Amino acid sequence: MRCIRCGNTDKSYFYQGKAGMYCRKCIGFGRAMMEEDHEGIQLDQVHEDSSEYCLQYPLTKYQRKASDECREYITKMDVLLECVCGAGKTEMVLGSISDALRCGKKVCFAIARRQVVLELAQRLKQYFRQAKIVAVCGGHTDELDGDLIVCTTHQLYRYHHCFSLLILDEPDAFPFRGDAVLHGIAMNACIGHIIYLTATPDDVLMKRVNDGLMRRIVLNRRPHGKDLPVPIIRIQPVWMMFMTLLYWLRKHACKPRIVFVPTIKQARILGSVLHMLMPCCVCTSTADNRDEIIEQFKKDEHVVMVATTVLERGVTIPNVDICIWQANHSVFDEAGLIQMAGRAGRSFLSPSGDVLFLCNEKSKLVGICKDKIVQANQSCVA
């Protein structure tokens, strides 16, 4: 027995109810009855001329090489596009999207965060001006069909065997990583091949590459050609960490600054203290107005934002500098530290950026993170 939605085959998750047998593993998405022929949404044909796109700036030679290689291999197998934060992964898959649309195939771009779905949908509308692009996420589910659908990974349950090309952004991150249900739903939504976009592929993705089941394409250079900002590590007692943080915040007062902290409690405490000394806002997963906080922060470059890992991926703030408070905390993992550091130095106007890791004790993980960023810079061709 196999669940038609998530692909579960564990018999312990199947339950015989009054209406028939259903899977309890993906019950959060509604009952998937085994006896029903689950066809999902019936999507219309792709519009003519939807494949035409216009870039606002030309790809660099490294981006173009990665884009061409992706277009070549995605027709044969899944592709892992492993690029450093800010390398322009979205722009490098536009060619593959265009090829699929030209053949009349449906395309989906699946992302973890709702806010990023809305932002990316607007960007893609600027590129594919003749295509119907639909954003599907919480609060935006009235219209589900388009030539190119941008949705949260949770919304993929609506699309059973619908997409010839599925692009999964940050598959190594929450909520997709380690979630067998979401993974199964994504597999059942795609009838063709998948492009995985990430700067920090996990062991599962790398195993598929090593087994020859997926093509790996690597790009360690941002469009502006500058190195990734290498974190400065400071190991100090907590009271001295705070003094160092104040000095760093004032030194970079002319730029937007994000201070990442490991817990919601620390975000509230540190945010309250800093608010007495300078303009400061707090952004955590518990904030109902998280989108508004981010938008306001983008407009006022003199404000300090204290944030949890909710902002470690998918959010681009031009000209921002980054500090990670207690970077040695067990909440942070290698991928998360690299992603948070990767928020800095993305802008052409401020390609260097500044990243500070504050630790209250030595951490092997923090050192590994720094070494990987250094190695990425060294692997780039000048």
Side-chain angles (χ1 to χ4, degrees):
M1 186 174 293
R2 184 177 185 274
C3 176
I4 54 177
R5 177 195 287 139
C6 70
N8 168 54
T9 57
D10 188 340
K11 294 181 180 179
S12 64
Y13 282 100
F14 293 106
Y15 180 74
Q16 181 68 47
K18 293 182 180 180
M21 185 77 72
Y22 64 89
C23 176
R24 293 183 297 175
K25 196 166 189 177
C26 57
I27 191 66
F29 297 92
R31 294 187 181 187
M33 308 305 294
M34 298 300 101
E35 292 81 2
E36 295 179 359
D37 183 14
H38 186 76
E39 297 182 352
I41 296 174
Q42 298 301 308
L43 301 181
D44 295 332
Q45 295 295 316
V46 172
H47 291 84
E48 293 184 9
D49 301 326
S50 62
S51 64
E52 296 181 7
Y53 70 98
C54 179
L55 274 171
Q56 298 172 334
Y57 54 86
L59 297 178
T60 67
K61 63 178 181 179
Y62 303 115
Q63 287 178 316
R64 189 168 58 252
K65 181 177 181 297
S67 174
D68 291 343
E69 190 174 351
C70 185
R71 295 172 76 168
E72 176 186 354
Y73 281 94
I74 194 57
T75 60
K76 309 169 188 176
M77 61 175 65
D78 292 350
V79 171
L80 168 62
L81 192 54
E82 180 186 344
C83 305
V84 294
C85 301
K89 293 187 289 292
T90 299
E91 285 69 26
M92 282 182 278
V93 298
L94 296 182
S96 298
I97 293 174
S98 177
D99 292 344
L101 293 176
R102 187 178 300 111
C103 295
K105 299 177 179 179
K106 289 285 183 176
V107 180
C108 178
F109 210 127
I111 307 166
R113 304 187 192 281
R114 173 184 175 277
Q115 177 63 25
V116 183
V117 166
L118 300 176
E119 291 179 356
L120 180 59
Q122 291 303 315
R123 283 174 60 194
L124 291 173
K125 287 178 181 178
Q126 296 175 5
Y127 296 142
F128 293 92
R129 297 175 183 174
Q130 305 300 320
K132 181 181 179 182
I133 299 174
V134 176
V136 181
C137 57
H140 295 77
T141 56
D142 294 334
E143 188 172 17
L144 302 175
D145 189 13
D147 302 320
L148 171 56
I149 294 165
V150 187
C151 69
T152 54
T153 49
H154 283 86
Q155 295 293 338
L156 285 173
Y157 83 93
R158 300 177 183 274
Y159 301 95
H160 184 71
H161 289 178
C162 286
F163 304 116
S164 297
L165 174 61
L166 174 61
I167 303 167
L168 275 175
D169 190 44
E170 308 291 2
D172 58 303
F174 176 86
F176 194 80
R177 181 180 183 179
D179 192 320
V181 172
L182 284 181
H183 181 80
I185 289 173
M187 296 303 103
N188 283 328
C190 183
I191 57 176
H193 295 297
I194 301 176
I195 300 176
Y196 297 90
L197 305 180
T198 182
T200 50
D202 58 20
D203 293 340
V204 175
L205 291 172
M206 292 308 301
K207 184 178 187 304
R208 292 194 60 201
V209 171
N210 295 332
D211 290 343
L213 302 176
M214 182 160 55
R215 178 72 177 186
R216 181 190 183 201
I217 302 171
V218 180
L219 179 59
N220 288 326
R221 179 65 76 185
R222 288 172 168 172
H224 52 56
K226 303 298 183 181
D227 285 349
L228 302 171
V230 177
I232 296 172
I233 301 174
R234 293 285 182 264
I235 303 173
Q236 303 168 330
V238 174
W239 68 269
M240 191 176 293
M241 282 172 51
F242 183 70
M243 299 305 295
T244 301
L245 174 62
L246 287 181
Y247 173 79
W248 183 85
L249 290 173
R250 287 167 177 159
K251 179 181 177 182
H252 298 269
C254 60
K255 297 175 63 177
R257 295 141 291 167
I258 299 179
V259 181
F260 284 101
V261 296
T263 67
I264 295 174
K265 182 179 179 181
Q266 288 191 29
R268 290 171 178 167
I269 294 173
L270 186 59
S272 298
V273 173
L274 292 179
H275 186 69
M276 294 186 291
L277 304 172
M278 61 191 71
C280 179
C281 61
V282 176
C283 187
T284 70
S285 59
T286 60
D288 295 331
N289 61 334
R290 188 161 68 244
D291 295 347
E292 289 78 6
I293 294 173
I294 295 172
E295 286 305 312
Q296 186 60 41
F297 178 68
K298 289 180 178 181
K299 295 176 182 177
D300 191 347
E301 62 182 25
H302 300 294
V303 174
V304 175
M305 177 181 284
V306 179
T308 56
T309 54
V310 70
L311 290 187
E312 76 177 34
R313 299 170 186 254
V315 177
T316 298
I317 310 293
N319 208 32
V320 72
D321 287 330
I322 300 296
C323 175
I324 303 180
W325 174 267
Q326 204 174 344
N328 58 290
H329 197 284
S330 59
V331 166
F332 298 133
D333 58 14
E334 179 186 318
L337 290 173
I338 291 175
Q339 288 286 346
M340 287 182 282
R343 300 305 99 198
R346 300 164 74 102
S347 170
F348 277 82
L349 297 177
S350 181
S352 56
D354 193 273
V355 180
L356 175 64
F357 285 0
L358 292 176
C359 309
N360 60 346
E361 59 183 34
K362 289 185 178 180
S363 168
K364 181 179 179 181
L365 185 65
V366 171
I368 291 175
C369 172
K370 179 178 178 179
D371 290 343
K372 287 211 167 183
I373 294 174
V374 171
Q375 290 169 11
N377 289 334
Q378 292 174 345
S379 68
C380 294
V381 180

